[in-house]
Amino acid sequence: MATLSVNIDHVATVREARKAQNPDPVAAAVLCELAGAHGITCHLREDRRHIQDRDLLLLKKTIHSRLNLEMAPTDAMVRIALEHSPTIVTLVPEKRMELTTEGGLNAAGMENELKGVIQTLQNHNILVSLFVDPDLKQLKAAAKIKADYIELHTGHYANVTGAEKAAALDQIKNMALAANKFGLGVNAGHGLDYVNTPYIAAIDFIEELNIGHSIIARAVLVGLDQAVRDMLALMKRQD
Ligand code: PXP
């Protein structure tokens, strides 16, 4: 079964809506762990719209599971990652005006730039994952520049319907298999919810799912503990 890393950015989004102290994403992370989550994911964005530097510092000191730091591949972010030593860094593209991470990283078009970032992080015992579209060209580039993992972008799969959805699922399955053959670990995420997640969780070679919005949205109604447990139960389901 794939493991679950809960993305707690949206807890910070609610806090930042009022520039207040609550809700605290660090407290949320502890509740996620107690409910059985295997890891915590946060995205420290350049504009600090949700997660703050203080959150990262306290998350690292507080959580007992794996910390996955999503960040843009910039020198400033690499310095921050080295300071806090998360278990894994997931490199993502970042645009200021986007509502959420829109597309995968163009690893194939940024090999030289990414290579140095990957090496620096790995030299400090931080695993490196690249958030990429399920596209063979991107996987080949990720393997060439020696990323440890790729995170397959499931946003397209989540957004389409009917025959397109079946095709998108097949593409993710094929790319998970290909990534494994290239020696890459495979994670997946974006747009996963309480309906579509079981299909992704059942795919061979996918190790971990990064899920944020659907869990935090449900948590507002039923509580975070229940929302995480519901997702873990769905991931165990074998359809
Ligand atoms: N993976 C990556 C790389 C992301 O940027 C995000 C969104 O922050 C997620 C997973 C989680 O996506 P969602 O909030 O749609 O579950």
Side-chain angles (χ1 to χ4, degrees), residues 137-159:
K137 185 174 70 175
Q138 300 299 345
L139 305 193
K140 282 185 178 161
K144 188 171 160 204
I145 57 181
K146 298 196 166 34
D148 300 290
Y149 280 81
I150 45 125
E151 179 179 336
L152 291 172
H153 192 328
T154 51
H156 173 68
Y157 159 75
N159 285 336

Side-chain angles (χ1 to χ4, degrees), residues 7 9-10 70 92 100-101 131 151 189-191 210-213:
N7 181 316
D9 293 352
H10 290 309
E70 291 177 4
V92 299
T100 179
T101 315
F131 182 55
E151 179 179 336
H190 216 283
N210 289 312
I211 308 182
H213 183 265

Side-chain angles (χ1 to χ4, degrees), residues 94-136:
E94 209 174 281
K95 296 191 205 112
R96 262 181 190 262
M97 298 311 285
E98 67 190 354
L99 287 180
T100 179
T101 315
E102 280 166 2
L105 199 60
N106 180 14
M110 309 168 62
E111 284 181 7
N112 285 340
E113 196 177 330
L114 291 175
K115 213 155 113 185
V117 171
I118 293 170
Q119 267 171 11
T120 306
L121 293 168
Q122 288 172 338
N123 287 344
H124 290 80
N125 295 318
I126 300 171
L127 293 166
V128 183
S129 179
L130 305 183
F131 182 55
V132 291
D133 291 328
D135 168 353
L136 198 60

